[in-house]
Amino acid sequence: MKKIQHLFFVVLFSVFFMVITEAQTTQLPNISSQYLTQGNDYGAVVLTIRYTDHKSVWVFDGKALDFTQQNLYQFLNTKFEQLDDAAIQQHNLKLEAPTDLPIHYLQDVYLWVQIYGNKNMHLAMYESMEPDKIQYLPLNILAFPPLEEACVYYAASSNLAASALETFATIHPNTAALVREKKATVALKKNPVRPEDYIPQNILHLELRENNEIFFIGRQVNPMVLASLIQSALATNYNNSYEKADPKHYLWLNLKMHPDVSYQQYAEVLVALQEAFHLYWEELAFNKFQKTYLDLAVDERWLIQQASPKLIAQYDAIELLFMEEKLVSKTPKTWLELK
């Protein structure tokens, strides 16, 4: 009996050691910011990507698996087997990926999670002032229900003799299915209407290119002043008002990325976007409450956020074409209203 117990603890320790070692050897992005405010959600499901020899693989529970949509969904289905669709949709994911990961792998993950239905992913990284402590940057996964329809439209517009799935795979390889899981539809029906539930009408684009080049509204900008430029755009769009924004005035910031952009560069730009909102919220907090944003009560912060909702998107070429040519409307509509 003692031998069996000893063997059990040896195996348990080995698995634990493998998971810890994997986390330690993953060279996470390193950024400098005071806005990594997302604490560690110990109940979140961890997605780990390893990138070596120009090849990406999943690492789930210490096991390396091919970087495919099927393997991701099989892993998530196992983790969520005791939950209903609504609970799954609310469940957070955490992503650990190396700094040199080409961004197209992250774009695949974003779209696969979007299809699966989860709406929040926390990106693991290090903050320069605390280089030994993993911190998290929240990323909202915005819904896009008409994905199959958008693929058909994109194929027709591009003269592609391909199915919806084949069209999608031209920019998102390793994709095996476009069918939206029930949990995504459940979320649209059950949740109160939030800013991110609306179909984007007013989009500002940020383009990430190689060699750390960033273009904002078609003009190359210095990464060091990106947050200030976006803060100014937010102030102009929302007119420095601290009242709840009207949906017709919502402003989306969309990231368009060259396939060879690294995860490190992406993380730096995403942090700059987060900083822009916090800088703008600081202004509103002082104007309305004569306090700093961090000194506000939870309900006060919510009011400030509603005046300028944080709408950061990563729509790909297929989704953008469909939105810009088929979903433009004078009256704001939610995704659910498309049905």
Side-chain angles (χ1 to χ4, degrees), residues 92-313:
N92 293 327
L93 304 177
K94 291 191 294 190
L95 179 69
E96 296 183 356
T99 59
D100 60 342
L101 180 77
I103 201 62
H104 65 86
Y105 288 111
L106 182 74
Q107 290 175 301
D108 288 340
V109 175
Y110 184 98
L111 268 296
W112 294 343
V113 172
Q114 184 186 69
I115 294 169
Y116 192 80
N118 293 82
K119 67 177 184 178
N120 289 307
M121 187 156 61
H122 301 156
L123 308 180
M125 55 190 68
Y126 293 105
E127 203 283 322
S128 298
M129 297 300 292
E130 297 184 87
D132 298 324
K133 180 182 178 182
I134 296 179
Q135 301 189 58
Y136 298 89
L137 188 67
L139 175 65
N140 288 337
I141 308 296
L142 301 184
F144 191 87
L147 186 55
E148 289 183 279
E149 188 178 353
C151 289
V152 172
Y153 184 80
Y154 185 86
S157 301
S158 307
N159 295 317
L160 295 176
S163 67
L165 180 58
E166 290 170 336
T167 301
F168 191 72
T170 60
I171 60 175
H172 297 290
N174 301 310
T175 300
L178 297 180
V179 178
R180 296 188 63 80
E181 298 279 341
K182 288 189 299 179
K183 59 187 71 68
T185 304
V186 168
L188 290 173
K189 290 181 178 179
K190 288 193 173 183
N191 286 342
V193 176
R194 303 162 301 160
E196 53 265 38
D197 294 329
Y198 281 88
I199 300 170
Q201 300 293 312
N202 184 18
I203 304 176
L204 291 185
H205 296 287
L206 292 95
E207 185 177 354
L208 280 63
R209 300 183 183 177
E210 295 177 284
N211 303 317
N212 208 33
E213 291 184 349
I214 303 171
F215 284 74
F216 180 46
I217 319 179
R219 180 169 60 92
Q220 187 170 3
V221 299
N222 186 329
M224 300 297 292
V225 299
L226 180 59
S228 296
L229 289 174
I230 296 173
Q231 177 192 5
S232 178
L234 292 172
T236 300
N237 183 78
Y238 293 108
N239 199 29
N240 288 304
S241 172
Y242 45 74
E243 301 299 326
K244 184 177 180 180
D246 190 303
K248 66 183 179 182
H249 293 145
Y250 285 164
L251 180 66
W252 274 261
L253 299 170
N254 186 64
L255 290 172
K256 301 168 69 174
M257 295 167 279
H258 187 278
D260 291 330
V261 165
S262 72
Y263 185 41
Q264 174 66 39
Q265 181 186 348
Y266 164 82
E268 292 169 359
V269 171
L270 188 59
V271 166
L273 299 189
Q274 302 271 0
E275 289 180 341
F277 280 96
H278 279 269
L279 290 171
Y280 183 57
W281 291 343
E282 285 285 2
E283 288 187 19
L284 300 184
F286 182 79
N287 291 338
K288 186 173 179 62
F289 298 107
Q290 289 74 55
K291 300 178 185 177
T292 66
Y293 176 75
L294 294 179
D295 288 335
L296 298 180
V298 173
D299 59 335
E300 292 173 334
R301 287 192 191 183
W302 185 86
L303 290 174
I304 293 298
Q305 291 170 8
Q306 295 305 298
S308 174
K310 186 171 64 175
L311 297 168
I312 299 174

Side-chain angles (χ1 to χ4, degrees), residues 7-145:
L7 180 60
F8 172 77
F9 284 113
V10 169
V11 172
L12 183 63
F13 176 79
S14 298
V15 172
F16 176 78
F17 179 78
M18 288 173 62
V19 173
I20 294 299
T21 301
E22 185 65 44
Q24 290 176 338
T25 56
T26 300
Q27 296 181 333
L28 303 176
N30 189 302
I31 57 90
S32 177
S33 176
Q34 60 181 312
Y35 296 109
L36 288 179
T37 55
Q38 177 63 50
N40 188 1
D41 179 355
Y42 291 97
V45 173
V46 180
L47 310 178
T48 302
I49 299 176
R50 187 170 64 204
Y51 182 68
T52 55
D53 298 326
H54 304 290
K55 181 180 179 181
S56 180
V57 298
W58 292 115
V59 179
F60 295 145
D61 295 332
K63 297 180 181 179
L65 301 171
D66 289 341
F67 185 77
T68 65
Q69 183 187 25
Q70 299 100 312
N71 282 336
L72 172 63
Y73 285 6
Q74 183 176 354
F75 175 70
L76 293 178
N77 287 340
T78 300
K79 293 296 182 179
F80 296 145
E81 61 183 353
Q82 302 299 323
L83 303 179
D84 62 23
D85 290 334
I88 292 172
Q89 193 273 338
Q90 296 292 333
H91 209 90
N92 293 327
L93 304 177
K94 291 191 294 190
L95 179 69
E96 296 183 356
T99 59
D100 60 342
L101 180 77
I103 201 62
H104 65 86
Y105 288 111
L106 182 74
Q107 290 175 301
D108 288 340
V109 175
Y110 184 98
L111 268 296
W112 294 343
V113 172
Q114 184 186 69
I115 294 169
Y116 192 80
N118 293 82
K119 67 177 184 178
N120 289 307
M121 187 156 61
H122 301 156
L123 308 180
M125 55 190 68
Y126 293 105
E127 203 283 322
S128 298
M129 297 300 292
E130 297 184 87
D132 298 324
K133 180 182 178 182
I134 296 179
Q135 301 189 58
Y136 298 89
L137 188 67
L139 175 65
N140 288 337
I141 308 296
L142 301 184
F144 191 87

